[in-house]
């Protein structure tokens, strides 16, 4: 084969034909499909990790901070 | 993703049976992908099972927006295979080379008729050429092997591959062209090495 730095359309067609021949279709064993399915369906449930971003908690924190700022502003006002 | 599949994926987040239906729908495709990335039946089965287990454990994080479920599965499969190769490198195991070097367990399609010496010769030549090609593919970087398997084993379009690889269609096309160019060089190298090894006494 020519060690050229470019590929012609004919080169591409030739390589693609070789690739199609090389990658013959494979099928998993029926026993494997059935066994793996059973194992999946009976695998222990993994607990969901806690969410890093919880909108309710975030809202509560923001409201608490706003209340604090408002209270500080109110009490530090000159009488 | 079809509406039917969207609903199925939504149900699969809480319902194992629904996940089982998704498993049956994609197990052959994922197995094929993994098989051509690792090169033997045992590892392909083990890793395919791992892909679905990981999918099951993380399906609550899957968000359909723009990424089909199958593309999400291929991403998991790619990560599982890359981790496997990283671990295997320490043990000097090979993937596609194993397919090539184990023709009895991984036969090329039968193309010869018994008793016809010319047909037998042709079949042997074809098997040898396939072996060399698979060996050359194995020497490509992981992302290029990933691309070739998605294209030729799964028959996906550049747009679909782009979704899986998180690249634009144009970037996939360009990567594909560079992959073919590199593959041709590697095929020449493998052929040269083969010639040297067969000429040794």
């Amino acid at each position: 084969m020519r060690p050229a730095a470019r590929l012609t359309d004919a080169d591409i067609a030739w390589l693609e034909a070789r690739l199609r021949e090389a990658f013959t279709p494979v099928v998993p064993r029926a026993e494997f499909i059935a066994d793996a399915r059973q194992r999946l369906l009976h695998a222990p449930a993994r607990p969901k990790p806690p969410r890093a971003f919880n909108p309710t908690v975030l809202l509560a924190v923001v409201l608490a901070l706003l209340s604090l700022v408002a209270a500080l502003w109110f009490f530090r006002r000159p009488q | 993703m079809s509406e039917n599949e969207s609903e199925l994926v939504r149900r699969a987040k809480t319902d194992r049976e629904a996940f089982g239906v998704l498993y049956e729908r994609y197990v052959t495709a994922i197995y094929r992908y993994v098989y051509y990335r690792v090169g033997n039946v045992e590892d392909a089965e083990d890793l395919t099972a791992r892909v679905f287990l990981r999918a099951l454990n993380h399906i609550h994080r899957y968000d359909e927006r723009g990424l089909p479920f199958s593309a999400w599965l291929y991403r998991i499969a790619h990560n599982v295979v890359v981790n496997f190769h990283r671990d295997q490198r320490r043990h000097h195991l090979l993937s596609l080379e194993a397919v090539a070097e184990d023709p009895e367990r991984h036969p090329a399609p039968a193309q010869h008729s018994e008793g016809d010496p010319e047909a037998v010769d042709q079949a042997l030549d074809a098997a040898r050429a396939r072996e060399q090609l698979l060996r050359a593919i194995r020497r490509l970087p992981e992302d290029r092997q990933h691309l070739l398997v998605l294209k030729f084993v799964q028959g996906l379009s550049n747009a679909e591959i782009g979704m899986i690889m998180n690249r634009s269609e144009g970037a996939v096309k360009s990567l594909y062209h560079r992959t073919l160019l590199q593959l041709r060089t590697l095929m020449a190298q493998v052929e040269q090495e083969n010639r040297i090894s067969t000429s040794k006494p």
Side-chain angles (χ1 to χ4, degrees):
Chain A
M1 187 178 286
R2 286 167 298 152
R6 288 182 68 246
L7 287 172
T8 64
D9 286 348
D11 292 334
I12 293 172
W14 183 82
L15 280 165
E16 287 182 338
R18 297 284 309 272
L19 285 163
R20 270 190 286 273
E21 282 167 18
F23 288 125
T24 53
V26 288
V27 183
R29 294 181 305 119
E31 305 85 64
F32 159 71
I33 294 178
D35 290 351
R37 189 181 191 282
Q38 283 307 306
R39 270 183 278 135
L40 265 181
L41 296 189
H42 298 105
R46 219 171 78 160
K48 281 187 187 178
R51 288 181 70 162
F53 173 79
N54 186 327
T56 313
V57 172
L58 189 70
L59 185 67
V61 169
V62 169
L63 284 176
L65 282 174
L66 281 175
S67 306
L68 181 68
V69 169
L72 287 175
W73 179 80
F74 179 80
F75 287 114
R76 293 182 76 179
R77 227 170 25 161
Q79 297 298 313
Chain B
M1 185 167 10
S2 67
E3 201 176 325
N4 187 21
E5 182 155 297
S6 300
E7 175 56 23
L8 193 56
V9 172
R10 195 188 58 74
R11 279 202 296 119
K13 292 184 180 188
T14 51
D15 176 359
R16 287 280 172 101
E17 281 300 327
F19 190 85
V21 176
L22 286 171
Y23 165 80
E24 280 170 7
R25 194 173 282 185
Y26 290 109
V27 65
T28 302
I30 295 297
Y31 174 85
R32 265 184 200 154
Y33 171 84
V34 173
Y35 174 79
Y36 273 109
R37 296 291 310 276
V38 298
N40 68 77
V41 173
E42 288 82 5
D43 290 330
E45 289 183 350
D46 179 35
L47 296 187
T48 302
R50 260 193 250 177
V51 169
F52 282 97
L53 190 62
R54 196 180 280 192
L56 177 70
N57 286 333
H58 294 94
I59 195 164
H60 60 276
R61 286 193 205 158
Y62 169 70
D63 191 355
E64 190 188 323
R65 276 175 295 186
L67 184 71
F69 184 70
S70 58
W72 184 69
L73 278 181
Y74 283 124
R75 282 187 185 179
I76 295 177
H78 174 66
N79 291 336
V80 165
V81 168
V82 168
N83 289 343
F84 170 80
H85 281 150
R86 202 176 43 213
D87 295 343
Q88 291 302 304
R89 242 166 246 137
R90 296 180 205 129
H91 300 101
H92 306 288
L93 283 181
L94 304 168
S95 59
L96 281 165
E97 284 195 39
V99 179
E101 286 163 2
D102 196 358
E104 281 192 14
R105 295 201 50 210
H106 312 279
Q111 288 170 338
H112 64 279
S113 53
E114 284 178 31
D116 180 351
E118 201 174 317
V120 171
D121 277 353
Q122 278 177 2
L124 283 174
D125 285 346
R128 211 169 293 128
R130 178 175 183 263
E131 176 197 323
Q132 286 185 8
L133 178 58
L134 291 173
R135 194 166 289 162
I137 293 168
R138 181 64 196 92
R139 292 181 187 182
L140 288 167
E142 293 275 3
D143 62 334
R144 295 182 183 197
Q145 290 184 46
H146 183 44
L147 168 60
L148 288 184
V149 175
L150 290 174
K151 199 171 185 70
F152 288 95
V153 179
Q154 309 301 103
L156 300 183
S157 67
N158 287 345
E160 289 167 318
I161 295 170
M163 268 186 200
I164 297 166
M165 296 181 79
N166 209 15
R167 291 172 188 237
S168 69
E169 197 177 339
V172 171
K173 205 174 164 188
S174 159
L175 179 65
Y176 177 58
H177 194 270
R178 282 182 273 128
T179 300
L180 290 184
L181 203 56
Q182 186 179 8
L183 181 61
R184 189 174 66 170
T185 309
L186 289 171
M187 284 168 75
Q189 273 177 19
V190 169
E191 206 178 323
Q192 178 86 4
E193 287 167 13
N194 219 36
R195 225 176 281 139
I196 292 168
S197 69
T198 50
S199 65
K200 276 181 188 168

